Each structure stands twice: as C-alpha cells, then as structure tokens.
Amino acid sequence: TIPIGQPLANTKAYILDANLQPLPRGIPGELCIGGDGLARGYLNRSTLTSEKFIPYPDSQNGVEANPAQRLYRTGDWARVLPDGNIEWLGRIDYQVKIRGFRIELGEIEANLRQHSTVQEAVVIVREDTPGERVLVGYVIGCNPPNQETYAWIADIRQFIKSRLPDFMIPNHFVPLEAFP
C-alpha cells in the first residue's frame, strides 16, 4: 500500500475505533477528518449528514470539545504509520467509486427491493474490460403474468431511473430464480 500523506494545514485527521475513540499509531480504524475546510453536510440529506458528520471529540477525555465543530466519517479504513503519514487500507462499507462518483451499493439494492415484483436484489461492480467498471444488478422476483423477462427488466430499469441518478443505474440487470 502507499501512504496518502498527512492532513493539510488547518485540517485534522483521526483514526477512530467503533466507539469513536482515538487509536494509537499503527492500529487500523476509521479515518475521520475535521477542520476549517469541512463542509456543513450533504445538501438536502439531513439523515446522511447526521450519520457522517459527528461531534468533534476531545482527544484528551472523549467529550465534545466544541459543539460548533464536527468530524466527517469518511468510511475509509486507515492507520497512522510511525512517520506520521496515513496509510489507506480500504473501505469499511460497501461504497464504490465508478467514473468519479461514490456509490453506495446498498442504496441501489434498497431501491430495487421497493419495486412491487422484486423480492431480493444484489448489486455488484464488475470489470468487463480492463479499467471499465460497471454496475450489475441481480434480481429475484416474480415476473408478472403475460410479461416477458425483457419487459420485466425494462420496467425495473424505468422504476429505478425514477428514483436514482443516472450514475447509480446498473448497466445490466440479471434475473435469477435464487441466489447461489
């Protein structure tokens, strides 16, 4: 792995455990950032904002240092190396990055499950050609009577397009009777 460096000026980085307590150097945890450049939150997404932007902990005693300041939970798994650089180790959630967009696969799956004929859904990233990552949605459901599979998938695609931005629409849908 390659270190990602140290925080910029007026920025702080913490590696926190599951209880949001600072971890010593070398121990992996979630990378959280704070400081002057931190955003106020996600536009029109108050639930996600309250989940990802947390009170700023005081590293001395674990209490909130300043209610006006917050940390951003990046969802990145990282650790601080002995030289003070931060080493990125991966993601702690199912977020992926495709064509510059950060995508939560679980959000796509949850929206697919809201379709009246979809019982279960799993979305993965597949690399069909080197460097070209695409989303694939696997769906289990009941194809309405007198409707061909192609029409059923087209209906699911139209449904999901009405709920999610284009970059979150799976490139391919694969109907299955059951998951392996």
Side-chain angles (χ1 to χ4, degrees), residues 42-61:
Y42 290 100
L43 181 63
N44 299 325
R45 301 200 56 193
S46 58
T47 303
L48 186 59
T49 295
S50 63
E51 178 186 322
K52 294 290 188 176
F53 290 82
I54 61 171
Y56 202 97
D58 180 277
S59 59
Q60 300 299 319
N61 57 21

Side-chain angles (χ1 to χ4, degrees), residues 2-50:
I2 299 172
I4 57 175
Q6 297 181 5
L8 301 172
N10 299 323
T11 304
K12 293 195 180 220
Y14 296 94
I15 306 298
L16 304 178
D17 66 14
N19 297 318
L20 303 176
Q21 297 300 311
L23 292 166
R25 285 183 184 213
I27 305 298
E30 183 175 7
L31 174 63
C32 296
I33 58 174
D36 294 342
L38 191 64
R40 292 182 185 152
Y42 290 100
L43 181 63
N44 299 325
R45 301 200 56 193
S46 58
T47 303
L48 186 59
T49 295
S50 63

Side-chain angles (χ1 to χ4, degrees), residues 1-8 13 15 31 33 74 76-79 81 83-89:
T1 60
I2 299 172
I4 57 175
Q6 297 181 5
L8 301 172
I15 306 298
L31 174 63
I33 58 174
T74 66
D76 291 318
W77 191 249
R79 68 180 175 169
L81 298 172
D83 64 2
N85 283 311
I86 297 170
E87 179 183 31
W88 183 78
L89 301 171

Side-chain angles (χ1 to χ4, degrees), residues 96-169:
V96 296
K97 194 170 186 180
I98 298 178
R99 294 181 303 279
F101 294 103
R102 288 188 180 264
I103 300 170
E104 288 280 351
L105 298 178
E107 184 176 358
I108 301 169
E109 293 169 356
N111 277 281
L112 283 169
R113 285 187 208 106
Q114 291 178 8
H115 187 277
S116 61
T117 63
V118 173
Q119 297 166 344
E120 191 57 57
V122 171
V123 177
I124 65 164
V125 175
R126 189 171 74 197
E127 195 166 316
D128 290 337
T129 57
E132 187 177 331
R133 302 174 74 195
V134 297
L135 295 171
V136 179
Y138 294 90
V139 292
I140 296 173
C142 53
N143 193 356
N146 303 321
Q147 189 177 31
E148 292 184 27
T149 301
Y150 178 79
W152 180 55
I153 293 300
D155 183 52
I156 293 170
R157 182 180 300 280
Q158 192 60 37
F159 173 81
I160 203 76
K161 276 187 170 187
S162 70
R163 306 182 81 120
L164 296 172
D166 287 342
F167 66 87
M168 292 179 74
I169 308 302

